[in-house]
Amino acid sequence: MHLPVSVVTIVKSRTEKLCHLIEQLEHCHPSPAELVIVWMSSPSELSLIRSEKFDIVHKFVNQDDLPIARARNKGLLEAKHDTLVYMNVDAICAPNFIEAGLREWSQHSVLHTKVKMIDAECWHLDHNLISASMSSETTLTDSDANDTSKKDTPSEDGPSEDNNEIPHRDQITIKQEDHHGKFSHDSICSTVFFINKTDFEKTGGFDEGYSGFGINDEDFFTNCRTLGFAIKEIPQITFLPERPNYQCPVNHLLDFVKNAERYYSKWGKYPRPDVLDAYAEAGYINQDYIENGIQVLQLPNASKNEDDTETPMQTSPELSAASITPSRMAAQVDKQVTQLRNLNTGVEQDTHDAAANNTIVASRVYTA
C-alpha cells in the first residue's frame, strides 16, 4: 500500500547510507509513493537505482557541486505529491513513521520525529534491531537476529558479521539526552520532518544565502515560526549515527561565524549561543559578541591526533582546539586568513536583503 507522500533526501558521497535508507523505506508500512534523490555531485553507479515498492526519481546537477540548501529546495519543490517528508540520508526510521506523521499532521504545521544519536558503527542496522537491543537486558544472540519476527530484512551494506548479531544496548551507545544534548534542537528537527508543499513554498525554502557549515536549519525553522507554523514532535524515534560535524568542529569556525552574522541580520538575535559562547571561551571570538558583533580574534591551531582524525568541537567552556587535522587545516588556512579580514570589517557585505534571498521564484528552472 502506498501513501501519497514524497520523501526527499540529498546525497553526495554516502551512497551506502542511501542504499540503507531505500531498504528502510521499502519496509515501511505503508510505504511512500515516491522517493526523490538529489545528487549533489556527479552521478555514480547508484544514480539510477530503482525500487519495486515505490517510484525513485533522481535529480542531477549541472555544476560540479550543489550546495545543501539548494539541493534541499530542488528536491522539495520538484516532488510530485503535496505531502513532503525530508529525510537525512543517515536517518534510521521507524517502520510506521510515515503513517504516524500523516495522522498527526495539520495545515500550517511542521512535524518532526524524536531523534537519538547512536554509534557510527551501527549505521547499517535497522530500526527494529536497534530498538530491541536498547530494551533488552541481556545480550541478544545470533538466533535472535535471525528470527524474522523480531526484525526486518537486514541491510546488505554493512559487514556480514555485523548483520548476524543484534548488539546489546551496552554496545549501541545513545550519544544524546532526550532533549538533544549539546545539539541545536532545530538541527535535530531537520533529520526527518513533514511539511505540506504549499507551506514549504510560503517559507521561501531553505535560504541559499548561507554558505558552508551551520545555521541553515535554525534559519528555516525560525522562518516557519515567524510565519505562524506550529512545530510539533511525534513520538516515533529516528536513530542517527553520530558524525563529527554534528558537534560543530572548530575548523568550520569562519563559516559558522559568517552564517551566524547573516542569521542576526535577519532575525535580530544570534543562533546557537552554546557554540558561540564556546568559541568565545576558547578565545576564537570576542566575549562581548552580543553587544558588539562577532570579531574573529584567532584561528584554531593545527596539531595531530594519534589517529589523524578531526576532533569535534565540544560546546562547553572546556572547548579545546588541540586536535584539528593538519592536512585539512593546511588546505583551508590561506582561504580563511583572507576571509578573516573581511569578516571583521563587515560580514554585511556578503549578507543580501533577507526577504529577497529567502524567496524561491516559482519559475526557477532546474536540470532534472
Side-chain angles (χ1 to χ4, degrees):
M1 175 182 174
H2 289 165
L3 290 176
V5 172
S6 292
V7 175
V8 176
T9 194
I10 63 176
V11 64
K12 187 173 184 179
S13 59
R14 286 175 281 159
T15 53
E16 75 284 356
K17 308 293 179 60
L18 174 64
C19 292
H20 191 217
L21 179 65
I22 293 171
E23 182 182 0
Q24 293 178 79
L25 292 174
E26 288 178 338
H27 286 89
C28 281
H29 45 81
S31 63
E34 176 186 53
L35 172 63
V36 179
I37 303 171
V38 182
W39 293 88
M40 299 170 64
S41 57
S42 301
S44 74
E45 68 277 4
L46 293 174
S47 296
L48 294 178
I49 191 171
R50 293 286 181 259
S51 171
E52 295 181 357
K53 298 293 185 69
F54 45 78
D55 294 334
I56 297 183
V57 180
H58 297 270
K59 302 291 183 179
F60 303 104
V61 302
N62 55 3
Q63 57 193 74
D64 291 338
D65 288 303
L66 193 64
I68 292 174
R70 190 174 300 173
R72 287 173 166 176
N73 290 338
K74 178 179 176 68
L76 290 164
L77 286 172
E78 297 186 9
K80 177 180 179 180
H81 296 282
D82 290 334
T83 301
L84 307 174
V85 180
Y86 178 80
M87 293 188 69
N88 187 316
V89 74
D90 291 354
I92 301 174
C93 59
N96 66 337
F97 87 102
I98 295 177
E99 181 182 33
L102 285 182
R103 187 169 57 247
E104 296 295 328
W105 184 86
S106 60
Q107 192 73 21
H108 308 315
S109 68
V110 183
L111 265 62
H112 63 90
T113 65
K114 291 184 177 180
V115 175
K116 290 185 181 293
M117 305 297 291
I118 61 172
D119 284 334
E121 303 81 45
C122 298
W123 67 266
H124 61 283
L125 298 176
D126 69 37
H127 191 279
N128 287 350
L129 296 181
I130 298 172
S131 296
S133 67
M134 295 295 184
S135 60
S136 174
E137 293 296 336
T138 58
T139 302
L140 299 175
T141 65
D142 289 355
S143 60
D144 292 323
N146 292 323
D147 184 350
T148 57
S149 67
K150 298 183 180 180
K151 67 180 183 69
D152 291 326
T153 304
S155 168
E156 297 178 356
D157 297 312
S160 57
E161 63 270 23
D162 289 341
N163 286 329
N164 293 324
E165 180 179 354
I166 305 175
H168 183 249
R169 65 177 179 177
D170 292 337
Q171 296 171 274
I172 301 180
T173 305
I174 293 181
K175 295 294 186 177
Q176 282 181 254
E177 301 298 330
D178 288 346
H179 298 293
H180 310 305
K182 300 172 184 175
F183 300 89
S184 159
H185 186 270
D186 287 343
S187 292
I188 290 299
C189 290
S190 69
T191 303
V192 175
F193 70 86
F194 294 72
I195 191 170
N196 177 271
K197 181 177 281 191
T198 300
D199 288 342
F200 182 74
E201 290 172 346
K202 287 179 181 177
T203 70
F206 287 89
D207 185 345
E208 298 178 14
Y210 289 95
S211 61
F213 184 93
I215 311 303
N216 204 252
D217 294 333
E218 288 80 357
D219 179 90
F220 177 76
F221 284 97
T222 298
N223 190 25
C224 288
R225 294 185 185 97
T226 301
L227 291 169
F229 295 173
I231 311 297
K232 302 177 183 178
E233 181 180 81
I234 59 176
Q236 279 65 30
I237 296 172
T238 298
F239 296 112
L240 192 65
E242 186 179 47
R243 297 176 63 214
N245 69 353
Y246 289 150
Q247 295 187 3
C248 193
V250 290
N251 59 331
H252 286 290
L253 170 67
L254 293 184
D255 281 346
F256 199 95
V257 166
K258 181 178 179 180
N259 288 339
E261 288 286 10
R262 178 177 181 81
Y263 183 97
Y264 183 89
S265 74
K266 292 178 65 174
W267 307 113
K269 60 181 179 180
Y270 283 110
R272 297 300 303 273
D274 56 335
V275 174
L276 294 175
D277 287 347
Y279 283 155
E281 290 291 335
Y284 299 139
I285 67 173
N286 52 310
Q287 295 274 356
D288 59 349
Y289 68 88
I290 294 178
E291 296 81 12
N292 297 315
I294 303 175
Q295 294 186 15
V296 179
L297 305 178
Q298 62 176 325
L299 295 176
N301 294 320
S303 62
K304 189 172 184 179
N305 279 335
E306 292 181 1
D307 59 356
D308 196 34
T309 59
E310 294 177 12
T311 294
M313 172 182 144
Q314 303 299 320
T315 52
S316 68
E318 291 76 25
L319 171 68
S320 171
S323 51
I324 307 303
T325 305
S327 58
R328 184 161 186 173
M329 284 301 298
Q332 294 185 6
V333 70
D334 290 340
K335 178 182 177 182
Q336 291 187 341
V337 170
T338 301
Q339 292 174 335
L340 180 58
R341 185 174 296 105
N342 292 335
L343 281 167
N344 287 339
T345 55
V347 176
E348 64 274 9
Q349 65 186 355
D350 293 317
T351 303
H352 307 295
D353 179 77
N357 275 280
N358 214 39
T359 300
I360 294 181
V361 179
S363 61
R364 176 179 290 162
V365 177
Y366 290 105
T367 301

